[in-house]
Amino acid sequence: MHRRLSVLIILAIIAASCGSGGSSSTEIDTTTAAPATTAPITTAPPTTTAAPTTTALPTTTTTAPPTPDELAGDGPYEVGVTTRTLPTGNLVEIYYPSTDVAAGRSEEYRVRDFLPALIAKLIPADALDTFAVEAARDAPASPGEPFPVVLFSHGFSGFRLQSTALLRHLASWGMVVASPDHPSRDLNHTLGEASEDAPDAADDLRASLAVLGDSLGDPVLDNLADTSLVALGGHSAGGFTIVSMASDDGIAGYVSYASGAGEDLLQMPDAPSLFIAASGDTVVLPDVTASAFERAPSSSWMWTLDQTGHLAFSDLCAVGDGDSTLIDLAEAAGIGDFIPDDFRRLGTDGCEPPNRPVEEVWPAIFQASTSFYRWVFGIDAEPLGLDSTSVESVTIATH
């Protein structure tokens, strides 16, 4: 029994890193990916794309539009984080602009906290399974006008905190980011007993938006979010979720990370979009992302990150001391010998050479995401930093 549980835990840990859309257009390639080569930046011709019709968010934090390099770094706000419970009982993590009270504080999570308790006990107490970001728990929100909202959807066997580096970055640029657990496919429920009558993942996002909208008197959330300005983001299976939801009324646009759209989706949503693919991804192949991008109506962009894998859009290659991978956790648990070779490779997709360290890739992801969201929210009149970048090894396409 102990051995069977040991095998289960490593499969669960790997599953957390390998979100799957469950669509016929998503492939898991079990062949060895060819080493990526450094691609030059391909810059699309200058665009005069008009900003979507939205209410511009007043801002007094900058006197001039930010440069692409600035968008890749922290924004003008400190960041707070809080957790709320949705009506169905699952949790949603909310990152938001805060005040100087949050400066110098950090928030940490452990991967084991998202495993069923019985299996989590198999992880040694001193195993390196933590990740920390600069954010302050329940810190006061930045005063003034409410901020636009990004709803984020995690992948298959993922969890709400898997991409905190990205979500925290967006909050530093003046956005409220809500990321719920999806009981229909999160790590705890895919490893343990399936959740009965779990809501559709898109409904978890809609419920998260309702929490932000119904926050009168909440000590943190009151007057925090402008729920008339909403955009979406999703990783892997979460990318399929947001494409299915992007036709909802009031959605300003969406960003799909290492994902695509099912071929059975006859018409792509009529909303601006950004697709970011990883050239070395063996979980959701870049061609899957490219197919969705080609089908999406204008305005749409696709960034392909060279020497990058599936996990670059999460924290999971930086868990522990920054050099650990999820497979290292299994080794620390003494169950590394039970890991099949295919799962070993999938559990490190994007974490090992020839892929670059994820910390080198994140600035490109941060720049593109921040630029896109600021544009669809009407903060910037043009999509600054979407058609060119100083970050190395990025190929850009647009239509």
Side-chain angles (χ1 to χ4, degrees), residues 55-88:
T55 302
L57 184 73
T59 178
T60 58
T61 58
T62 57
T63 58
T67 66
D69 282 348
E70 289 171 336
L71 292 174
D74 283 353
Y77 295 95
E78 301 294 340
V79 176
V81 58
T82 193
T83 308
R84 294 293 183 273
T85 303
L86 301 180
T88 48

Side-chain angles (χ1 to χ4, degrees), residues 13 100 160 168 279 299 374 387:
I13 292 171
D100 289 345
R160 70 183 188 279
R168 180 255 173 219
S279 67
S299 297
R374 284 175 60 93
D387 294 313

